[in-house]
Amino acid sequence: MPSIQDVAKRARVSTATVSHVINQNYPVSAQRRERVLKAIRELEYHPNAMARGLRTSKSKTVGMIIPDITNPFFPAVVRAAEDVLNHAGYALLVGNSDNAPRKEEAYYRAFREKRVDGLLLIAAGGPLPPEYLRNHHSEDVPVVFIDRYYRGIPADSIQVDNVSGSYQAVIHLIETGHHRVGMITGPLSLGNAKLRLEGYLHALEEHKIAEDPTLIFEGKFDFRSGYERAKCLLDQNPRPTAIFASNGEMMKGCLQALGESAVRVPDEIALVSFDDFDWFALGHPTITAVAQPMYDLGALGAEILLKRIMNKLQGRPRKKVLPAKLIVRESSKAR
Amino acid sequence: MPSIQDVAKRARVSTATVSHVINQNYPVSAQRRERVLKAIRELEYHPNAMARGLRTSKSKTVGMIIPDITNPFFPAVVRAAEDVLNHAGYALLVGNSDNAPRKEEAYYRAFREKRVDGLLLIAAGGPLPPEYLRNHHSEDVPVVFIDRYYRGIPADSIQVDNVSGSYQAVIHLIETGHHRVGMITGPLSLGNAKLRLEGYLHALEEHKIAEDPTLIFEGKFDFRSGYERAKCLLDQNPRPTAIFASNGEMMKGCLQALGESAVRVPDEIALVSFDDFDWFALGHPTITAVAQPMYDLGALGAEILLKRIMNKLQGRPRKKVLPAKLIVRESSKAR
DNA sequence: ATGAAAGCGCTAACAG
DNA sequence: CTGTTAGCGCTTTCAT
């Protein structure tokens, strides 16, 4: 693999000149530039990013830690971030934390060793920050939290208006005639799960419906817990007439449970999901859902990070909240 | 950010000794080791991977280029690869090619500059390899093709038995009584799309059913084309009694089209998809599908790559073909 | 068992 | 404009 030395030799110039041609940061005579370009082509020279990075202490790489790329919410966010980052000349390292702060920490360390220029984080746990993050210097390596964050870490964050999304969903159910709305929350240690519960409670309150603890079950944001909590809800007596699941994966679990119990939707029970997966519009019945701006979450998150990396954004951490939008479909049709 | 020098100074040893402690490749007296370890802890020292990489010419990083992380087939593969790679101490860079060889090439170059130790590739186009890959030296940086490959590139590959999967699906439809089976193929420039068509044709042949060109439409492996081709199929007269879609995204398009046309499944038309998405088991009706071993595809691909990187695997390129399995559900129930 | 020192490939002063 | 050179942080001979 040819180095800048080889190019310099072949073009009969110094390595500095080659560097100047490559980086276009210093003037080079047209004649010499041509010679260099020719040598680069002939040798198929590609600069060694590790050497460059060592010298400049910039890796042109960003790390992103997400819970699980297998949950369709996250790929959408990753894709957006990757688009923006790639456009700006940055590569993206990804890691799956499986919502385990320990795994998150392992990736954090690995990425720091790689000297990533910035970090995109969808927090694995919460609300308290893990030790390793408390010791992190954001001025050093900027961090942007996406969707979920840890309290008390001075880093930018971008989120969805969870309370409003949830509130809209439940108001819609109530106004459709449902007064017994079952709620499957996410892990209440997570900020966004708590906020979604809050939106639910607000909606009930607004309509003077008493909170019924037998209708609220805490899930884990995964298929299995969605399935199990839905079973619990179906066992209640009287049964809720509607179920609001705090994320898409748990809604899948609900659908599984309802299928097994042969409960008809929406005739016997109405359904609303936080998270709008594309296939919700395709099934029978189609599923009413709170759509999150997944692409914006990733794209804006990446943009903020880039600004921090380039010092175009200074001062206190910014917190951006994006709107969520209810999309009414068949699963919550009036009965 | 502390360097190995700082550690050495603090522990009153040479940098060589620190290196030996970290890499455990040379003996170090217990006493000095302790001193070094203590210094590392106190300084929160983390080795600089770029410097190490520059020295060893190993980046401990692998690049993976996939068409689009937003198509649920790919995250499953990525996740598997990432698990295996991470376990072995490698980080993963990802890029989305959008099936465009030009984008693929851009990522290829970027990853090479980063001096990735290996490349996982789900080919963007085909069947002929792009120029840049023809000039690639696999002995230098090993490449493993996953799912789709370019002809004539001497690299390992791991794929699914597309012909068999497709064949099983269509045989099943025929045996369920369907003699007019509509086929939506992928882009026939792609090897796997062609093979899936082959399986379809084999099945017809086997049952002495004449190939009907008005029942075969070439799609693009995306939602939109699935939707449009399904419309075309519904316009045929007489209409096919079943549709086989060559991938999951196009099946989604079909479902959209069928929904709009209010055609009932499976009563009026049967459906089978190549690709089994988890929600196919949840809707009404549930969707019959050819399940691909997505996790194995990624995990085994990564394992082969690791072997190549470590020179545990020598000689000619290996080609591994994994079985696909038909899962019969309601969408293809006998009428 | 330990340390001195070379050098991986590059950029950025600096001198000319 | 162009070339010389120091040095980024690390590993690895090579002496000792």
Side-chain angles (χ1 to χ4, degrees):
Chain A
M1 190 135 287
S3 79
I4 199 170
Q5 298 271 5
D6 303 318
V7 176
K9 225 165 270 170
R10 183 173 250 264
R12 285 166 296 133
V13 299
S14 71
T15 61
T17 302
V18 177
S19 176
H20 297 161
V21 169
I22 293 171
N23 299 306
Q24 311 188 42
N25 47 1
Y26 289 94
V28 175
S29 71
Q31 182 207 15
R32 277 158 181 263
R33 188 204 327 286
E34 279 320 312
R35 288 220 308 269
V36 170
L37 258 17
K38 183 152 166 282
I40 288 179
R41 248 177 288 120
E42 289 171 351
L43 294 172
E44 297 186 60
Y45 168 72
H46 293 287
N48 181 326
M50 291 190 299
R52 176 183 284 170
L54 179 59
R55 184 57 229 255
T56 60
S57 25
K58 287 172 189 353
S59 62
K60 286 294 204 165
T61 300
V62 161
M64 183 166 193
I65 308 177
I66 60 177
D68 178 14
I69 193 109
T70 266
N71 172 340
F73 174 77
F74 299 114
V77 180
V78 171
R79 172 69 210 236
E82 207 265 319
D83 283 352
V84 170
L85 257 15
N86 174 47
H87 192 77
Y90 286 78
L92 184 69
L93 286 167
V94 294
N96 297 287
S97 70
D98 285 320
N99 290 320
R102 290 182 61 122
K103 275 197 178 188
E104 181 180 78
E105 175 171 359
Y107 280 110
Y108 171 83
R109 294 198 186 289
F111 290 172
R112 295 244 21 194
E113 291 200 356
K114 294 256 188 295
R115 296 298 188 265
V116 293
D117 296 331
L119 233 25
L120 254 18
L121 226 53
I122 300 186
L128 293 181
E131 183 67 15
Y132 78 89
L133 259 188
R134 295 206 69 86
N135 299 330
H136 176 82
H137 299 285
S138 267
E139 325 78 56
D140 229 43
V141 178
V143 169
V144 174
F145 285 109
I146 298 182
D147 190 39
R148 310 175 186 170
Y149 64 99
Y150 292 113
R151 277 203 175 288
I153 300 290
D156 302 305
S157 73
I158 179 160
Q159 311 155 65
V160 161
D161 190 339
N162 289 290
V163 176
S164 154
S166 196
Y167 173 86
Q168 289 174 64
V170 179
I171 285 286
H172 160 68
L173 284 170
I174 295 173
E175 291 180 346
T176 312
H178 298 279
H179 284 221
R180 290 180 58 73
V181 178
M183 168 72 170
I184 307 179
T185 76
L188 293 175
S189 57
L190 294 182
N192 59 355
K194 220 168 3 189
L195 293 172
R196 290 173 197 181
L197 173 57
E198 221 171 86
Y200 165 88
L201 295 174
H202 278 358
L204 293 190
E205 202 177 330
E206 188 127 316
H207 281 263
K208 313 253 190 274
I209 300 176
E211 171 186 343
D212 181 347
T214 70
L215 292 184
I216 302 178
F217 286 87
E218 180 176 350
K220 298 180 183 170
F221 271 162
D222 63 1
F223 178 87
R224 184 173 188 71
S225 65
Y227 172 75
E228 287 165 356
R229 303 305 176 272
K231 288 257 186 210
C232 294
L233 282 168
L234 293 177
D235 284 346
Q236 299 303 309
N237 198 335
R239 211 156 74 180
T241 64
I243 295 179
F244 176 48
S246 289
N247 83 345
E249 287 295 309
M250 295 197 301
M251 172 51 72
K252 290 203 307 209
C254 283
L255 290 172
Q256 169 84 7
L258 293 174
E260 288 177 10
S261 312
V263 178
R264 280 167 310 146
V265 179
D267 303 333
E268 300 180 78
I269 203 159
L271 249 32
V272 179
S273 162
F274 203 107
D275 272 349
D276 184 30
F277 293 159
D278 52 10
W279 58 272
F280 283 175
L282 300 176
H284 284 289
T286 55
I287 311 288
T288 297
V290 177
Q292 301 194 62
M294 302 182 283
Y295 198 90
D296 290 348
L297 229 34
L300 294 178
E303 275 165 18
I304 294 171
L305 184 65
L306 286 175
K307 278 195 195 130
R308 285 288 182 194
I309 288 173
M310 299 171 183
N311 275 312
K312 302 274 179 200
L313 183 63
Q314 308 261 1
R316 62 163 218 299
R318 314 301 166 93
K319 179 173 185 167
K320 188 158 190 128
V321 177
L322 267 27
K325 189 168 153 248
L326 179 72
I327 299 181
V328 177
R329 298 202 185 91
E330 296 164 3
S331 72
S332 64
K333 276 242 183 79
R335 298 175 302 158
Chain B
M1 189 134 287
S3 79
I4 199 170
Q5 297 271 5
D6 304 317
V7 177
K9 224 165 272 169
R10 183 173 252 263
R12 286 167 295 133
V13 299
S14 72
T15 60
T17 302
V18 177
S19 176
H20 297 161
V21 169
I22 294 172
N23 298 305
Q24 310 187 40
N25 47 2
Y26 289 95
V28 174
S29 72
Q31 183 207 12
R32 279 162 178 260
R33 186 201 332 284
E34 278 320 309
R35 288 222 307 271
V36 169
L37 258 17
K38 183 153 166 281
I40 287 180
R41 247 177 289 119
E42 289 171 350
L43 293 173
E44 298 187 62
Y45 167 72
H46 293 286
N48 180 325
M50 291 191 299
R52 177 181 281 171
L54 178 59
R55 182 59 227 250
T56 61
S57 29
K58 287 172 189 351
S59 62
K60 285 293 201 167
T61 301
V62 160
M64 183 167 193
I65 309 177
I66 60 177
D68 178 14
I69 193 110
T70 266
N71 171 340
F73 174 77
F74 300 113
V77 180
V78 170
R79 172 69 209 236
E82 207 265 318
D83 283 353
V84 170
L85 257 15
N86 174 47
H87 191 78
Y90 287 77
L92 183 70
L93 286 168
V94 294
N96 297 287
S97 69
D98 285 320
N99 290 319
R102 290 182 60 121
K103 275 198 178 187
E104 181 179 78
E105 176 172 359
Y107 280 110
Y108 171 83
R109 296 200 184 288
F111 290 172
R112 294 247 17 198
E113 291 200 356
K114 294 257 189 291
R115 295 298 187 266
V116 292
D117 297 332
L119 234 24
L120 253 19
L121 226 53
I122 300 186
L128 293 180
E131 183 68 14
Y132 78 90
L133 259 188
R134 296 205 69 88
N135 300 328
H136 176 82
H137 299 285
S138 267
E139 325 77 55
D140 230 44
V141 178
V143 168
V144 174
F145 285 108
I146 297 183
D147 190 39
R148 310 175 187 170
Y149 64 100
Y150 291 113
R151 278 204 173 287
I153 300 290
D156 301 304
S157 72
I158 179 160
Q159 311 153 233
V160 162
D161 190 338
N162 289 290
V163 175
S164 154
S166 193
Y167 173 85
Q168 290 175 62
V170 179
I171 285 287
H172 160 69
L173 284 170
I174 295 174
E175 291 180 346
T176 313
H178 298 279
H179 283 221
R180 291 181 57 74
V181 178
M183 168 71 170
I184 306 179
T185 76
L188 293 176
S189 57
L190 294 182
N192 59 354
K194 220 169 1 189
L195 293 171
R196 289 172 198 182
L197 173 57
E198 223 173 85
Y200 166 87
L201 295 174
H202 278 359
L204 293 190
E205 203 177 330
E206 188 128 316
H207 280 264
K208 312 253 191 275
I209 300 176
E211 171 187 344
D212 180 347
T214 70
L215 292 185
I216 303 177
F217 286 87
E218 180 175 351
K220 299 180 183 169
F221 271 162
D222 63 1
F223 178 86
R224 183 173 189 71
S225 66
Y227 172 75
E228 287 164 356
R229 303 305 177 272
K231 287 259 187 211
C232 293
L233 282 169
L234 293 178
D235 284 345
Q236 299 304 307
N237 197 338
R239 212 155 74 180
T241 64
I243 295 180
F244 176 47
S246 289
N247 84 346
E249 286 297 309
M250 296 197 301
M251 173 50 72
K252 290 203 306 209
C254 284
L255 290 172
Q256 169 84 6
L258 293 174
E260 287 178 11
S261 311
V263 179
R264 280 167 311 145
V265 179
D267 303 332
E268 301 180 77
I269 202 159
L271 249 32
V272 178
S273 163
F274 204 108
D275 272 349
D276 185 29
F277 293 160
D278 52 10
W279 58 272
F280 282 176
L282 300 176
H284 284 288
T286 55
I287 310 289
T288 297
V290 177
Q292 300 194 62
M294 302 181 284
Y295 197 91
D296 290 349
L297 228 34
L300 293 178
E303 274 164 18
I304 294 171
L305 183 65
L306 286 175
K307 278 194 194 131
R308 286 287 183 194
I309 289 173
M310 299 170 181
N311 274 312
K312 301 273 179 202
L313 184 63
Q314 308 263 359
R316 62 162 217 298
R318 312 302 166 95
K319 179 173 184 167
K320 188 159 191 128
V321 177
L322 267 27
K325 189 168 153 247
L326 179 71
I327 298 181
V328 177
R329 299 203 185 90
E330 296 164 2
S331 73
S332 63
K333 277 240 184 81
R335 298 173 303 158

